[in-house]
Amino acid sequence: MIRFIVKRLAAGFVLLLVISLLIFVGCEMLPGDVAQIMLGQSASPENVAALRAELGLDQPAPVRYLAWLWGIFHGDWGVSMTSRQPVSVMLSERLSNTLTLAGLTTLVSVPLALLIGMVLAVHKGTRLDRVGTIVIVGLCATPEFLVATLGVLVFSIHLRWLPAISYVTPGSGVLTLIKSMLLPLATMTIIVTAQLARMTRAVVGNILTQPYVETARLKGAGSVRVITVHALRNAVGPLINIIAMNVAYLISGVVIVETIFAFPGLARLMADSVQARDLPVVQACAMIFSAAYIGLIMVADIVAKLFDSRKEPGASS
């Protein structure tokens, strides 16, 4: 098991290095001159050249890549080209908001989705299963912006229960913070719960057709025991990977929800930075998103390995 973890850590580190190179090359390929954009079209060539030298853009690309990578290893993400603030300060403000939203969504949606998926799997083929599957598939096919927009129309404009903008400040009270996050939280919970419940129904439903489950039932095991003892253990492997992918999506793929609700999260910071050609912020956000994906998939692989009942070749019985 230790060898498996070490291999996964080494593979994740190498993959992050490759991704860092791709991110740097991708940012280099963006059109336009950053210094020219910052100074405007009326800037003189001398001023543009001076700003390029100040930002280090006159250095060869390999030198800048190695300097950027060296800074990351030492916790230095650079300085924003537009706000002139340290990127680490900007990231810490937005990352905490994104992690709060992603964490709350995970706490609500994962248990709810597992429960719905297992209930539908146990009652597979019944009217409950058919109705539940239609609702889940319909929600999976509904885009996030439509769910978010409908939420704003109903709860913010017509009922006036919740604010349409989820702008949170460090000094906000608990009640204000809860009310401001309810709509984005509900939107993400609906989308993630539907996707997870659909996959849980498929995985658990397939396991319930296996011969060993039928044997357990013939021995008198009830539905609860069959699910919790026999089916759920073997479903951990595929389910944990699906959960990891959805949590990673909550961290990096919620730019549409953050934009609609003006939520000050990391994905919106990256979208704004791309428009402003603020390359240090874009590169930092992309690295954090990639590290989140790789880290969560790595944890999912390790957990799935722990629950894998199959013996490796050569392992002692």
Side-chain angles (χ1 to χ4, degrees):
M1 190 63 196
I2 295 178
R3 180 182 298 177
F4 176 81
I5 295 174
V6 171
K7 284 183 178 179
R8 281 292 185 273
L9 289 174
F13 180 74
V14 173
L15 185 57
L16 266 180
L17 286 180
V18 174
I19 290 175
S20 70
L21 181 60
L22 294 177
I23 291 172
F24 185 84
V25 172
C27 290
E28 287 293 307
M29 293 174 67
L30 290 176
D33 190 321
V34 176
Q36 186 72 60
I37 294 173
M38 293 175 63
L39 294 176
Q41 295 298 323
S42 59
S44 64
E46 292 77 12
N47 290 336
V48 174
L51 183 57
R52 286 180 57 82
E54 179 185 348
L55 298 176
L57 298 176
D58 58 339
Q59 298 292 323
V63 174
R64 284 186 282 123
Y65 169 70
L66 292 177
W68 173 62
L69 202 60
W70 181 259
I72 291 177
F73 285 132
H74 290 79
D76 181 12
W77 295 90
V79 178
S80 168
M81 292 181 177
T82 55
S83 66
R84 310 304 297 168
Q85 284 184 321
V87 176
S88 57
V89 175
M90 301 172 67
L91 292 178
S92 62
E93 296 174 354
R94 299 300 188 96
L95 185 59
S96 60
N97 293 333
T98 295
L99 291 179
T100 301
L101 179 61
L104 291 175
T105 305
T106 303
L107 288 176
V108 176
S109 61
V110 170
L112 183 61
L114 293 178
L115 178 63
I116 295 174
M118 287 188 289
V119 169
L120 295 181
V122 171
H123 297 86
K124 190 175 183 179
T126 63
R127 182 177 297 178
L128 174 65
D129 176 46
R130 289 194 292 271
V131 173
T133 302
I134 290 173
V135 173
I136 287 174
V137 172
L139 290 175
C140 288
T142 305
E144 302 162 356
F145 72 87
L146 181 58
V147 177
T149 304
L150 289 175
V152 171
L153 284 174
V154 174
F155 296 102
S156 300
I157 297 178
H158 291 288
L159 299 177
R160 299 180 182 275
W161 289 352
L162 299 172
I165 297 177
S166 300
Y167 183 75
V168 290
T169 58
S172 301
V174 177
L175 183 60
T176 304
L177 181 64
I178 293 175
K179 289 182 67 176
S180 65
M181 294 189 68
L182 271 181
L183 277 180
L185 175 63
T187 302
M188 298 310 303
T189 299
I190 290 173
I191 300 299
V192 173
T193 300
Q195 295 173 351
L196 275 177
R198 185 172 66 88
M199 298 305 298
T200 302
R201 175 192 174 277
V203 171
V204 176
N206 180 56
I207 290 177
L208 291 179
T209 62
Q210 298 300 312
Y212 67 88
V213 174
E214 185 65 24
T215 302
R217 283 176 172 157
L218 292 175
K219 289 183 177 179
S223 297
V224 175
R225 181 175 177 78
V226 167
I227 289 290
T228 56
V229 177
H230 300 282
L232 200 54
R233 178 183 175 86
N234 293 300
V236 168
L239 287 180
I240 195 67
N241 278 283
I242 298 169
I243 293 173
M245 291 296 294
N246 278 274
V247 175
Y249 159 74
L250 287 173
I251 296 175
S252 60
V254 294
V255 60
I256 295 177
V257 175
E258 291 185 355
T259 301
I260 291 176
F261 295 108
F263 187 80
L266 203 59
R268 190 176 174 219
L269 174 64
M270 183 176 181
D272 294 341
S273 301
V274 170
Q275 293 179 351
R277 291 297 308 275
D278 197 345
L279 298 185
V281 181
V282 174
Q283 292 169 337
C285 292
M287 282 300 295
I288 291 176
F289 294 156
S290 302
Y293 264 98
I294 293 173
L296 288 168
I297 294 301
M298 195 183 305
V299 171
D301 285 347
I302 294 172
V303 174
K305 185 72 174 177
L306 287 173
F307 282 87
D308 189 358
S309 59
R310 294 171 296 181
K311 295 293 184 183
E312 294 182 355
S316 59
S317 57

